[in-house]
Amino acid sequence: ILAFNGLFPDSLDAIGEEFSGLIPRDCIRVWYSAYPTIYGNANADWKRQSAELIREAFLINQSPDVVIVSSLFEGINNNVVSSVGRLGLSCPTAVILYDLIPQLYPEQYLENQRARDWYSEKLGYLRQADMLLAISESSKSEAMQHLGIPAGQIATILAAIEMDLIETALADPIAPSALRALGIERPFILYSGASDPRKNHLALISAYQALPLALRQGHQLVLAGGMPVDHQHAFRRHARS
């Protein structure tokens, strides 16, 4: 059963299509609440709190064997509602744990008191869960070290690409002309991902600069992924320096 937030009606058809053939359409069930529920809006606190209770009551009424919360750390800037244990834990509840980045870098991600309060509340819900499904050994270690959650309460599920997809990609390489259109004209070292400061791009550029000249002449350094313009400028300034 997929429990769906009725405050996002535009996504319902897309999700139904995505799961077509996997589960019956009547197993996508919608719950509704007052809105807005955005945590960033202090005037909406009572609506958010009531929505959390409504959602949990809705889940209990489905008589599930297990509840899986796919993304707990949501709702500070949108109408996503997620909580654990507001009405008690009438059935086992698991939460997928991606990381604890705001906990590790509060100066970058929790810049104001409202954000800190939101994150602290979510951590409280996280601790209520019967089981955490960590996407990596690193995430599991963070939960153990920084939240004191026992190892036996965390399962590492991993979230990497399966090898058959990698083999398929390698069997169908990108045409050289497509690479040249991107300014890639020789073998390259690839970084793919976000451009947050914690990813340490400037150190990567410095490390590339420290390589022997022959290696740099033979290999380009390529950064791929969505990058805000100010991040791009910062990387170029550092490269020039």
Short mmCIF file of all heavy atoms in Angstrom, two decimals, residues 83-124:
data_model
loop_
_atom_site.label_atom_id
_atom_site.label_comp_id
_atom_site.label_asym_id
_atom_site.label_seq_id
_atom_site.Cartn_x
_atom_site.Cartn_y
_atom_site.Cartn_z
N SER A 83 5.92 12.05 10.40
CA SER A 83 6.13 11.93 11.84
C SER A 83 6.14 10.45 12.21
O SER A 83 5.72 9.60 11.42
CB SER A 83 5.03 12.67 12.61
OG SER A 83 3.76 12.08 12.36
N VAL A 84 6.63 10.17 13.40
CA VAL A 84 6.66 8.79 13.89
C VAL A 84 6.26 8.82 15.36
O VAL A 84 6.82 9.58 16.16
CB VAL A 84 8.06 8.16 13.76
CG1 VAL A 84 8.07 6.75 14.35
CG2 VAL A 84 8.51 8.13 12.30
N GLY A 85 5.26 8.03 15.71
CA GLY A 85 4.93 7.83 17.12
C GLY A 85 4.06 8.89 17.76
O GLY A 85 3.91 8.88 18.99
N ARG A 86 3.46 9.78 16.98
CA ARG A 86 2.56 10.78 17.59
C ARG A 86 1.37 10.09 18.25
O ARG A 86 0.84 10.57 19.26
CB ARG A 86 2.06 11.77 16.54
CG ARG A 86 3.10 12.74 15.99
CD ARG A 86 3.55 13.76 17.02
NE ARG A 86 2.46 14.51 17.62
CZ ARG A 86 1.97 15.67 17.14
NH1 ARG A 86 2.49 16.19 16.05
NH2 ARG A 86 0.99 16.29 17.77
N LEU A 87 0.93 8.97 17.68
CA LEU A 87 -0.19 8.22 18.24
C LEU A 87 0.29 6.88 18.81
O LEU A 87 -0.49 5.92 18.92
CB LEU A 87 -1.26 7.98 17.17
CG LEU A 87 -1.98 9.22 16.65
CD1 LEU A 87 -2.97 8.86 15.56
CD2 LEU A 87 -2.69 9.95 17.79
N GLY A 88 1.56 6.82 19.16
CA GLY A 88 2.12 5.55 19.62
C GLY A 88 2.51 4.69 18.42
O GLY A 88 2.17 4.99 17.27
N LEU A 89 3.23 3.63 18.68
CA LEU A 89 3.67 2.74 17.61
C LEU A 89 2.84 1.46 17.68
O LEU A 89 3.21 0.49 18.34
CB LEU A 89 5.17 2.44 17.76
CG LEU A 89 6.10 3.64 17.58
CD1 LEU A 89 7.54 3.25 17.88
CD2 LEU A 89 6.00 4.20 16.17
N SER A 90 1.70 1.49 17.00
CA SER A 90 0.81 0.34 17.03
C SER A 90 1.28 -0.78 16.12
O SER A 90 0.78 -1.89 16.18
CB SER A 90 -0.61 0.77 16.64
OG SER A 90 -0.61 1.33 15.33
N CYS A 91 2.22 -0.47 15.23
CA CYS A 91 2.83 -1.49 14.39
C CYS A 91 4.28 -1.09 14.16
O CYS A 91 4.64 0.08 14.31
CB CYS A 91 2.09 -1.64 13.06
SG CYS A 91 2.16 -0.18 12.03
N PRO A 92 5.15 -2.04 13.81
CA PRO A 92 6.56 -1.71 13.60
C PRO A 92 6.73 -0.62 12.54
O PRO A 92 6.07 -0.64 11.50
CB PRO A 92 7.17 -3.03 13.14
CG PRO A 92 6.25 -4.08 13.66
CD PRO A 92 4.88 -3.47 13.63
N THR A 93 7.60 0.34 12.82
CA THR A 93 7.84 1.45 11.90
C THR A 93 9.32 1.53 11.57
O THR A 93 10.16 1.52 12.46
CB THR A 93 7.39 2.80 12.52
OG1 THR A 93 5.98 2.72 12.79
CG2 THR A 93 7.67 3.95 11.58
N ALA A 94 9.62 1.59 10.28
CA ALA A 94 10.99 1.73 9.81
C ALA A 94 11.12 3.04 9.06
O ALA A 94 10.18 3.49 8.39
CB ALA A 94 11.37 0.57 8.90
N VAL A 95 12.28 3.68 9.17
CA VAL A 95 12.56 4.94 8.47
C VAL A 95 13.81 4.74 7.61
O VAL A 95 14.82 4.21 8.10
CB VAL A 95 12.80 6.09 9.46
CG1 VAL A 95 13.23 7.36 8.72
CG2 VAL A 95 11.54 6.37 10.27
N ILE A 96 13.74 5.13 6.34
CA ILE A 96 14.94 5.10 5.51
C ILE A 96 15.83 6.27 5.92
O ILE A 96 15.39 7.42 5.94
CB ILE A 96 14.59 5.19 4.01
CG1 ILE A 96 13.76 3.97 3.60
CG2 ILE A 96 15.86 5.27 3.17
CD1 ILE A 96 13.33 3.96 2.15
N LEU A 97 17.08 5.97 6.25
CA LEU A 97 18.03 7.00 6.68
C LEU A 97 19.05 7.24 5.57
O LEU A 97 19.81 6.35 5.22
CB LEU A 97 18.75 6.55 7.96
CG LEU A 97 19.86 7.49 8.45
CD1 LEU A 97 19.29 8.85 8.85
CD2 LEU A 97 20.63 6.88 9.61
N TYR A 98 19.04 8.46 5.05
CA TYR A 98 19.97 8.80 3.98
C TYR A 98 21.28 9.35 4.56
O TYR A 98 22.37 8.94 4.16
CB TYR A 98 19.32 9.82 3.04
CG TYR A 98 18.07 9.26 2.39
CD1 TYR A 98 16.82 9.45 2.97
CD2 TYR A 98 18.14 8.52 1.22
CE1 TYR A 98 15.68 8.91 2.41
CE2 TYR A 98 17.00 7.99 0.63
CZ TYR A 98 15.78 8.18 1.24
OH TYR A 98 14.64 7.63 0.68
N ASP A 99 21.18 10.28 5.48
CA ASP A 99 22.37 10.84 6.12
C ASP A 99 21.93 11.72 7.27
O ASP A 99 20.73 11.94 7.49
CB ASP A 99 23.22 11.65 5.12
CG ASP A 99 22.41 12.76 4.46
OD1 ASP A 99 21.90 13.64 5.20
OD2 ASP A 99 22.28 12.75 3.22
N LEU A 100 22.91 12.24 8.00
CA LEU A 100 22.66 13.20 9.08
C LEU A 100 23.46 14.47 8.81
O LEU A 100 24.02 15.08 9.73
CB LEU A 100 23.05 12.59 10.43
CG LEU A 100 22.18 11.42 10.93
CD1 LEU A 100 22.76 10.82 12.20
CD2 LEU A 100 20.73 11.85 11.15
N ILE A 101 23.49 14.90 7.58
CA ILE A 101 24.34 16.02 7.17
C ILE A 101 24.06 17.30 7.96
O ILE A 101 25.00 17.95 8.44
CB ILE A 101 24.21 16.26 5.65
CG1 ILE A 101 24.92 15.13 4.90
CG2 ILE A 101 24.81 17.61 5.25
CD1 ILE A 101 24.64 15.08 3.43
N PRO A 102 22.80 17.72 8.15
CA PRO A 102 22.59 18.94 8.94
C PRO A 102 23.12 18.82 10.37
O PRO A 102 23.56 19.81 10.95
CB PRO A 102 21.07 19.12 8.90
CG PRO A 102 20.65 18.42 7.65
CD PRO A 102 21.55 17.23 7.55
N GLN A 103 23.06 17.62 10.92
CA GLN A 103 23.58 17.40 12.27
C GLN A 103 25.10 17.58 12.29
O GLN A 103 25.67 18.12 13.25
CB GLN A 103 23.22 15.98 12.72
CG GLN A 103 23.83 15.53 14.04
CD GLN A 103 22.97 15.94 15.22
OE1 GLN A 103 22.03 16.70 15.07
NE2 GLN A 103 23.31 15.43 16.39
N LEU A 104 25.77 17.19 11.20
CA LEU A 104 27.22 17.26 11.14
C LEU A 104 27.72 18.64 10.72
O LEU A 104 28.83 19.04 11.09
CB LEU A 104 27.75 16.20 10.17
CG LEU A 104 27.34 14.75 10.45
CD1 LEU A 104 27.93 13.81 9.41
CD2 LEU A 104 27.77 14.33 11.84
N TYR A 105 26.90 19.38 9.94
CA TYR A 105 27.30 20.70 9.42
C TYR A 105 26.21 21.72 9.73
O TYR A 105 25.63 22.32 8.81
CB TYR A 105 27.55 20.63 7.92
CG TYR A 105 28.59 19.61 7.50
CD1 TYR A 105 28.21 18.34 7.08
CD2 TYR A 105 29.95 19.92 7.54
CE1 TYR A 105 29.15 17.40 6.70
CE2 TYR A 105 30.90 18.99 7.15
CZ TYR A 105 30.49 17.74 6.74
OH TYR A 105 31.44 16.80 6.37
N PRO A 106 25.91 21.95 10.99
CA PRO A 106 24.79 22.85 11.33
C PRO A 106 24.99 24.27 10.84
O PRO A 106 24.02 24.96 10.50
CB PRO A 106 24.74 22.77 12.86
CG PRO A 106 26.10 22.32 13.28
CD PRO A 106 26.57 21.41 12.19
N GLU A 107 26.23 24.74 10.78
CA GLU A 107 26.47 26.12 10.36
C GLU A 107 26.10 26.33 8.89
O GLU A 107 25.81 27.45 8.46
CB GLU A 107 27.94 26.51 10.61
CG GLU A 107 28.97 25.79 9.75
CD GLU A 107 29.24 24.35 10.17
OE1 GLU A 107 28.75 23.93 11.24
OE2 GLU A 107 29.93 23.63 9.42
N GLN A 108 26.10 25.28 8.10
CA GLN A 108 25.76 25.39 6.68
C GLN A 108 24.28 25.13 6.41
O GLN A 108 23.70 25.68 5.47
CB GLN A 108 26.60 24.40 5.85
CG GLN A 108 28.09 24.70 5.85
CD GLN A 108 28.87 23.69 5.04
OE1 GLN A 108 28.33 23.05 4.14
NE2 GLN A 108 30.15 23.52 5.37
N TYR A 109 23.65 24.26 7.22
CA TYR A 109 22.31 23.79 6.89
C TYR A 109 21.24 24.19 7.90
O TYR A 109 20.05 24.10 7.60
CB TYR A 109 22.32 22.26 6.73
CG TYR A 109 23.16 21.81 5.56
CD1 TYR A 109 24.49 21.46 5.73
CD2 TYR A 109 22.62 21.77 4.28
CE1 TYR A 109 25.27 21.06 4.65
CE2 TYR A 109 23.38 21.37 3.20
CZ TYR A 109 24.71 21.02 3.39
OH TYR A 109 25.47 20.63 2.33
N LEU A 110 21.64 24.61 9.09
CA LEU A 110 20.67 25.00 10.12
C LEU A 110 20.99 26.42 10.57
O LEU A 110 21.33 26.67 11.72
CB LEU A 110 20.73 24.01 11.30
CG LEU A 110 20.49 22.54 10.95
CD1 LEU A 110 20.69 21.66 12.18
CD2 LEU A 110 19.09 22.33 10.36
N GLU A 111 20.85 27.36 9.64
CA GLU A 111 21.34 28.71 9.86
C GLU A 111 20.45 29.55 10.77
O GLU A 111 20.87 30.58 11.27
CB GLU A 111 21.53 29.43 8.52
CG GLU A 111 20.25 29.77 7.76
CD GLU A 111 19.60 28.59 7.06
OE1 GLU A 111 20.17 27.48 7.10
OE2 GLU A 111 18.53 28.78 6.47
N ASN A 112 19.20 29.11 11.01
CA ASN A 112 18.34 29.89 11.89
C ASN A 112 17.63 28.98 12.88
O ASN A 112 17.61 27.75 12.73
CB ASN A 112 17.32 30.71 11.08
CG ASN A 112 16.43 29.82 10.22
OD1 ASN A 112 15.67 29.00 10.74
ND2 ASN A 112 16.51 29.98 8.90
N GLN A 113 17.03 29.57 13.90
CA GLN A 113 16.44 28.78 14.98
C GLN A 113 15.29 27.92 14.48
O GLN A 113 15.09 26.80 14.95
CB GLN A 113 15.97 29.71 16.10
CG GLN A 113 15.50 28.97 17.35
CD GLN A 113 16.60 28.12 17.97
OE1 GLN A 113 17.70 28.59 18.19
NE2 GLN A 113 16.29 26.86 18.24
N ARG A 114 14.51 28.46 13.54
CA ARG A 114 13.37 27.70 13.03
C ARG A 114 13.85 26.41 12.36
O ARG A 114 13.26 25.34 12.56
CB ARG A 114 12.58 28.55 12.04
CG ARG A 114 11.23 27.96 11.65
CD ARG A 114 10.25 27.99 12.79
NE ARG A 114 8.96 27.42 12.40
CZ ARG A 114 7.99 27.14 13.25
NH1 ARG A 114 8.14 27.39 14.53
NH2 ARG A 114 6.86 26.62 12.83
N ALA A 115 14.92 26.50 11.58
CA ALA A 115 15.47 25.31 10.93
C ALA A 115 16.01 24.33 11.96
O ALA A 115 15.83 23.11 11.84
CB ALA A 115 16.57 25.72 9.95
N ARG A 116 16.64 24.86 13.00
CA ARG A 116 17.17 23.99 14.05
C ARG A 116 16.04 23.27 14.78
O ARG A 116 16.15 22.08 15.10
CB ARG A 116 18.05 24.79 15.02
CG ARG A 116 19.36 25.26 14.40
CD ARG A 116 20.31 25.81 15.43
NE ARG A 116 19.88 27.09 15.97
CZ ARG A 116 20.17 28.27 15.43
NH1 ARG A 116 20.89 28.33 14.31
NH2 ARG A 116 19.74 29.40 15.98
N ASP A 117 14.95 23.99 15.05
CA ASP A 117 13.81 23.38 15.72
C ASP A 117 13.21 22.27 14.85
O ASP A 117 12.84 21.19 15.35
CB ASP A 117 12.75 24.43 16.04
CG ASP A 117 13.20 25.42 17.10
OD1 ASP A 117 14.19 25.12 17.81
OD2 ASP A 117 12.58 26.49 17.21
N TRP A 118 13.08 22.55 13.56
CA TRP A 118 12.52 21.55 12.63
C TRP A 118 13.38 20.30 12.62
O TRP A 118 12.86 19.17 12.74
CB TRP A 118 12.47 22.16 11.22
CG TRP A 118 12.27 21.16 10.12
CD1 TRP A 118 11.09 20.59 9.74
CD2 TRP A 118 13.28 20.61 9.28
NE1 TRP A 118 11.31 19.71 8.70
CE2 TRP A 118 12.64 19.71 8.41
CE3 TRP A 118 14.66 20.79 9.18
CZ2 TRP A 118 13.33 18.98 7.44
CZ3 TRP A 118 15.36 20.07 8.23
CH2 TRP A 118 14.71 19.19 7.36
N TYR A 119 14.70 20.47 12.53
CA TYR A 119 15.58 19.31 12.45
C TYR A 119 15.57 18.53 13.75
O TYR A 119 15.57 17.29 13.76
CB TYR A 119 16.99 19.74 12.08
CG TYR A 119 17.86 18.58 11.62
CD1 TYR A 119 17.66 18.01 10.37
CD2 TYR A 119 18.85 18.07 12.44
CE1 TYR A 119 18.44 16.95 9.95
CE2 TYR A 119 19.64 17.01 12.03
CZ TYR A 119 19.43 16.45 10.78
OH TYR A 119 20.19 15.39 10.37
N SER A 120 15.55 19.24 14.87
CA SER A 120 15.51 18.58 16.17
C SER A 120 14.24 17.74 16.32
O SER A 120 14.28 16.62 16.86
CB SER A 120 15.59 19.63 17.28
OG SER A 120 15.49 19.03 18.54
N GLU A 121 13.12 18.27 15.84
CA GLU A 121 11.87 17.52 15.91
C GLU A 121 11.96 16.25 15.08
O GLU A 121 11.52 15.18 15.51
CB GLU A 121 10.71 18.39 15.42
CG GLU A 121 9.36 17.71 15.49
CD GLU A 121 8.23 18.63 15.08
OE1 GLU A 121 7.84 19.48 15.91
OE2 GLU A 121 7.74 18.51 13.93
N LYS A 122 12.54 16.35 13.88
CA LYS A 122 12.67 15.17 13.02
C LYS A 122 13.60 14.13 13.65
O LYS A 122 13.36 12.93 13.54
CB LYS A 122 13.18 15.58 11.64
CG LYS A 122 12.25 16.47 10.86
CD LYS A 122 10.89 15.82 10.63
CE LYS A 122 9.98 16.71 9.79
NZ LYS A 122 8.64 16.13 9.62
N LEU A 123 14.67 14.59 14.29
CA LEU A 123 15.56 13.64 14.96
C LEU A 123 14.80 12.89 16.07
O LEU A 123 15.03 11.69 16.29
CB LEU A 123 16.77 14.36 15.56
CG LEU A 123 17.82 14.87 14.58
CD1 LEU A 123 18.94 15.59 15.34
CD2 LEU A 123 18.40 13.74 13.73
N GLY A 124 13.90 13.61 16.75
CA GLY A 124 13.08 12.96 17.78
C GLY A 124 12.21 11.86 17.18
O GLY A 124 12.09 10.77 17.77
#
